[in-house]
Coordinates of all heavy atoms in Angstrom, one line a residue:
M1 N -11.6 -10.4 3.2 CA -11.8 -9.1 2.6 C -11.9 -9.3 1.1 O -11.3 -10.1 0.4 CB -10.6 -8.2 2.9 CG -10.6 -7.7 4.3 SD -9.3 -6.5 4.6 CE -7.9 -7.6 4.8
A2 N -12.7 -8.5 0.5 CA -13.0 -8.6 -0.9 C -11.8 -8.0 -1.7 O -11.4 -8.5 -2.8 CB -14.3 -7.8 -1.3
G3 N -11.3 -6.9 -1.2 CA -10.2 -6.3 -2.0 C -8.9 -7.0 -1.7 O -8.6 -7.6 -0.7
K4 N -8.0 -7.1 -2.7 CA -6.8 -7.7 -2.6 C -5.6 -6.8 -2.9 O -5.7 -6.0 -3.9 CB -6.7 -8.9 -3.6 CG -7.7 -10.0 -3.3 CD -7.2 -10.8 -2.1 CE -8.3 -11.9 -1.7 NZ -8.4 -12.9 -2.8
I5 N -4.6 -6.9 -2.1 CA -3.4 -6.1 -2.3 C -2.3 -7.0 -2.6 O -2.0 -7.9 -1.8 CB -3.1 -5.2 -1.1 CG1 -4.2 -4.2 -0.9 CG2 -1.8 -4.4 -1.4 CD1 -4.1 -3.4 0.4
K6 N -1.6 -6.8 -3.7 CA -0.5 -7.6 -4.1 C 0.7 -7.3 -3.2 O 1.1 -6.1 -3.1 CB -0.1 -7.5 -5.5 CG -1.2 -8.1 -6.5 CD -0.7 -7.9 -7.9 CE -1.7 -8.5 -8.9 NZ -1.2 -8.3 -10.3
L7 N 1.3 -8.3 -2.6 CA 2.5 -8.1 -1.8 C 3.6 -8.9 -2.4 O 3.4 -10.0 -2.8 CB 2.3 -8.4 -0.3 CG 1.3 -7.5 0.4 CD1 1.0 -8.1 1.8 CD2 1.9 -6.1 0.5
P8 N 4.8 -8.4 -2.4 CA 5.2 -7.1 -2.0 C 4.7 -6.1 -3.0 O 4.6 -6.4 -4.2 CB 6.7 -7.2 -2.0 CG 7.1 -8.2 -3.0 CD 6.0 -9.2 -2.9
H9 N 4.5 -4.9 -2.5 CA 4.1 -3.8 -3.4 C 5.2 -2.7 -3.4 O 5.7 -2.3 -2.4 CB 2.8 -3.2 -2.8 CG 2.3 -2.0 -3.7 ND1 1.9 -2.1 -4.9 CD2 2.3 -0.7 -3.4 CE1 1.6 -0.9 -5.4 NE2 1.8 0.0 -4.5
K10 N 5.5 -2.3 -4.6 CA 6.6 -1.4 -4.8 C 6.1 0.0 -5.3 O 5.2 0.0 -6.2 CB 7.6 -1.9 -5.8 CG 8.8 -1.1 -6.0 CD 9.7 -1.8 -7.0 CE 11.0 -0.9 -7.3 NZ 11.8 -1.6 -8.3
C11 N 6.6 1.0 -4.7 CA 6.3 2.4 -5.2 C 6.9 2.6 -6.5 O 8.1 2.4 -6.7 CB 6.7 3.4 -4.2 SG 6.5 5.1 -4.8
P12 N 6.1 2.9 -7.6 CA 6.7 3.1 -8.9 C 7.6 4.3 -9.0 O 8.3 4.5 -10.0 CB 5.5 3.2 -9.8 CG 4.4 3.7 -8.9 CD 4.7 3.1 -7.5
K13 N 7.5 5.2 -8.0 CA 8.2 6.4 -8.1 C 9.6 6.4 -7.4 O 10.6 6.7 -8.0 CB 7.4 7.6 -7.5 CG 7.7 8.9 -8.1 CD 6.6 9.9 -7.8 CE 7.0 11.3 -8.4 NZ 5.9 12.3 -8.1
C14 N 9.6 6.0 -6.1 CA 10.8 6.0 -5.4 C 11.3 4.6 -5.1 O 12.5 4.4 -4.7 CB 10.7 6.7 -4.1 SG 9.6 5.9 -2.9
G15 N 10.5 3.6 -5.4 CA 11.0 2.2 -5.3 C 10.9 1.6 -3.9 O 11.4 0.5 -3.8
V16 N 10.3 2.2 -3.0 CA 10.2 1.6 -1.6 C 9.2 0.4 -1.7 O 8.3 0.4 -2.5 CB 9.7 2.7 -0.6 CG1 8.3 3.1 -0.9 CG2 9.7 2.1 0.8
I17 N 9.6 -0.6 -1.0 CA 8.8 -1.8 -1.1 C 8.2 -2.2 0.3 O 8.8 -2.1 1.3 CB 9.7 -3.0 -1.5 CG1 10.2 -2.7 -2.9 CG2 8.9 -4.3 -1.5 CD1 11.2 -3.8 -3.4
A18 N 6.9 -2.5 0.2 CA 6.2 -3.0 1.4 C 6.0 -4.5 1.2 O 5.4 -4.9 0.2 CB 4.9 -2.3 1.6
K19 N 6.5 -5.3 2.2 CA 6.4 -6.7 2.0 C 5.2 -7.3 2.8 O 4.8 -8.4 2.5 CB 7.7 -7.4 2.5 CG 8.9 -7.0 1.8 CD 10.1 -7.6 2.4 CE 11.4 -7.1 1.8 NZ 12.6 -7.5 2.5
T20 N 4.7 -6.6 3.8 CA 3.6 -7.1 4.6 C 2.5 -6.0 4.7 O 2.8 -4.9 4.4 CB 4.1 -7.4 6.0 OG1 4.5 -6.2 6.6 CG2 5.2 -8.4 6.0
E21 N 1.4 -6.5 5.1 CA 0.3 -5.5 5.2 C 0.5 -4.4 6.2 O 0.2 -3.2 5.9 CB -1.0 -6.2 5.5 CG -1.5 -7.0 4.3 CD -3.0 -7.5 4.5 OE1 -3.7 -6.9 5.4 OE2 -3.4 -8.4 3.8
P22 N 1.1 -4.6 7.3 CA 1.4 -3.5 8.2 C 2.4 -2.5 7.6 O 2.3 -1.3 7.8 CB 2.1 -4.2 9.4 CG 1.5 -5.6 9.5 CD 1.3 -5.9 8.0
E23 N 3.4 -3.0 6.8 CA 4.3 -2.1 6.1 C 3.6 -1.4 5.1 O 3.8 -0.2 4.9 CB 5.4 -3.0 5.5 CG 6.4 -3.4 6.5 CD 7.6 -4.2 5.8 OE1 7.6 -4.2 4.6 OE2 8.4 -4.7 6.5
L24 N 2.7 -2.0 4.4 CA 1.9 -1.4 3.4 C 1.1 -0.2 3.9 O 1.1 0.9 3.4 CB 0.9 -2.4 2.7 CG 0.2 -1.9 1.4 CD1 1.2 -1.9 0.3 CD2 -1.0 -2.8 1.1
E25 N 0.5 -0.5 5.1 CA -0.3 0.5 5.7 C 0.5 1.7 6.2 O 0.2 2.9 6.1 CB -1.1 -0.1 6.9 CG -2.0 0.9 7.6 CD -2.9 0.3 8.6 OE1 -2.5 -0.8 9.1 OE2 -3.9 0.9 9.0
K26 N 1.7 1.4 6.7 CA 2.6 2.4 7.2 C 3.2 3.2 6.1 O 3.3 4.4 6.2 CB 3.7 1.7 8.1 CG 4.7 2.7 8.7 CD 5.7 1.9 9.5 CE 6.7 2.8 10.1 NZ 7.8 2.1 10.9
I27 N 3.7 2.6 5.1 CA 4.5 3.3 4.1 C 3.5 3.9 3.0 O 3.7 5.0 2.6 CB 5.4 2.3 3.3 CG1 6.4 1.7 4.3 CG2 6.1 3.0 2.2 CD1 7.3 0.6 3.8
F28 N 2.5 3.1 2.6 CA 1.6 3.6 1.5 C 0.3 4.2 2.1 O -0.2 5.1 1.6 CB 1.3 2.5 0.6 CG 2.5 2.1 -0.2 CD1 3.4 1.1 0.3 CD2 2.8 2.6 -1.5 CE1 4.5 0.7 -0.5 CE2 3.9 2.2 -2.2 CZ 4.7 1.3 -1.7
G29 N -0.1 3.5 3.1 CA -1.4 3.9 3.6 C -2.5 3.3 2.8 O -2.5 3.5 1.6
Y30 N -3.4 2.6 3.3 CA -4.5 2.1 2.5 C -5.8 2.2 3.3 O -5.8 2.2 4.5 CB -4.3 0.6 2.1 CG -4.2 -0.4 3.2 CD1 -5.4 -1.0 3.6 CD2 -3.0 -0.8 3.7 CE1 -5.4 -2.0 4.6 CE2 -3.0 -1.7 4.7 CZ -4.2 -2.3 5.1 OH -4.1 -3.2 6.1
R31 N -6.8 2.3 2.5 CA -8.1 2.5 3.1 C -8.8 1.2 3.3 O -8.8 0.4 2.4 CB -9.0 3.4 2.2 CG -8.4 4.8 2.1 CD -9.3 5.6 1.2 NE -8.9 7.0 1.0 CZ -9.5 7.9 0.3 NH1 -10.6 7.6 -0.3 NH2 -9.0 9.1 0.2
T32 N -9.4 1.0 4.4 CA -10.3 -0.1 4.6 C -11.7 0.3 4.4 O -12.2 1.2 5.1 CB -10.2 -0.7 6.0 OG1 -10.4 0.3 7.0 CG2 -8.8 -1.3 6.2
L33 N -12.4 -0.2 3.4 CA -13.7 0.1 3.1 C -14.6 -1.0 3.5 O -14.2 -2.1 4.0 CB -13.8 0.3 1.6 CG -12.9 1.4 1.0 CD1 -13.0 1.4 -0.5 CD2 -13.2 2.7 1.5
N34 N -15.9 -0.8 3.4 CA -16.8 -1.9 3.7 C -16.6 -3.1 2.7 O -16.9 -3.0 1.5 CB -18.3 -1.4 3.6 CG -18.6 -0.4 4.7 OD1 -18.0 -0.4 5.7 ND2 -19.5 0.5 4.4
G35 N -16.1 -4.1 3.3 CA -16.0 -5.3 2.5 C -14.7 -5.4 1.6 O -14.6 -6.3 0.8
G36 N -13.8 -4.4 1.8 CA -12.6 -4.5 1.0 C -11.6 -3.4 1.3 O -11.8 -2.6 2.2
V37 N -10.5 -3.5 0.7 CA -9.4 -2.5 0.9 C -8.9 -2.1 -0.5 O -9.1 -2.7 -1.5 CB -8.2 -3.1 1.7 CG1 -8.7 -3.5 3.1 CG2 -7.6 -4.3 1.0
S38 N -8.4 -0.9 -0.5 CA -7.8 -0.4 -1.7 C -6.5 0.3 -1.3 O -6.4 1.1 -0.4 CB -8.7 0.7 -2.4 OG -8.9 1.8 -1.5
N39 N -5.5 -0.1 -2.0 CA -4.1 0.4 -1.7 C -3.8 1.6 -2.6 O -4.4 1.8 -3.6 CB -3.1 -0.7 -1.8 CG -2.9 -1.1 -3.3 OD1 -3.9 -1.2 -4.0 ND2 -1.7 -1.4 -3.7
Q40 N -2.8 2.3 -2.2 CA -2.3 3.4 -3.0 C -1.2 3.0 -3.8 O -0.3 2.2 -3.3 CB -1.9 4.6 -2.0 CG -2.9 5.0 -1.0 CD -4.0 5.7 -1.5 OE1 -4.0 6.2 -2.6 NE2 -5.1 5.8 -0.8
S41 N -1.1 3.4 -5.0 CA 0.0 2.9 -5.9 C 1.3 3.5 -5.5 O 2.4 2.9 -5.5 CB -0.3 3.2 -7.3 OG -0.5 4.6 -7.6
Q42 N 1.3 4.8 -5.1 CA 2.5 5.5 -4.7 C 2.5 5.7 -3.2 O 1.4 5.8 -2.6 CB 2.6 6.9 -5.4 CG 2.7 6.8 -6.9 CD 2.9 8.1 -7.5 OE1 2.7 9.2 -6.9 NE2 3.2 8.1 -8.8
C43 N 3.7 5.7 -2.6 CA 3.8 5.8 -1.2 C 3.4 7.2 -0.7 O 3.2 8.1 -1.5 CB 5.2 5.5 -0.7 SG 6.5 6.7 -1.2
K44 N 3.3 7.4 0.6 CA 2.9 8.7 1.1 C 3.8 9.8 0.7 O 3.3 10.9 0.5 CB 2.8 8.6 2.7 CG 1.7 7.6 3.2 CD 1.8 7.6 4.7 CE 0.6 6.7 5.2 NZ 0.7 6.6 6.7
K45 N 5.1 9.5 0.7 CA 6.0 10.6 0.3 C 5.8 11.1 -1.1 O 6.1 12.3 -1.4 CB 7.5 10.1 0.5 CG 7.9 9.8 1.9 CD 9.3 9.3 1.9 CE 9.8 9.0 3.3 NZ 11.2 8.5 3.3
C46 N 5.4 10.2 -2.0 CA 5.4 10.6 -3.4 C 4.0 11.2 -3.8 O 3.9 11.6 -4.9 CB 5.7 9.3 -4.2 SG 7.3 8.7 -4.1
R47 N 3.1 11.1 -2.9 CA 1.8 11.7 -3.2 C 1.7 13.1 -2.8 O 2.5 13.7 -2.1 CB 0.7 10.9 -2.5 CG 0.4 9.6 -3.3 CD -0.8 8.9 -2.8 NE -0.5 8.2 -1.5 CZ -1.2 8.4 -0.4 NH1 -2.3 9.1 -0.4 NH2 -0.8 7.7 0.7
Ligands
ZN101 ZN1 7.4 6.5 -3.3

């Protein structure tokens, strides 16, 4: 994939941490686009 997500990723607001990509998808939710991914900086709760 062209897009890179740094792991672990921490929510700057509440501090929840995703250590793996499944966790990232579950906690933050990220979009898979053509040829790449983009993550959300804040978790689902904080948005
Ligand atoms: Zn959060």
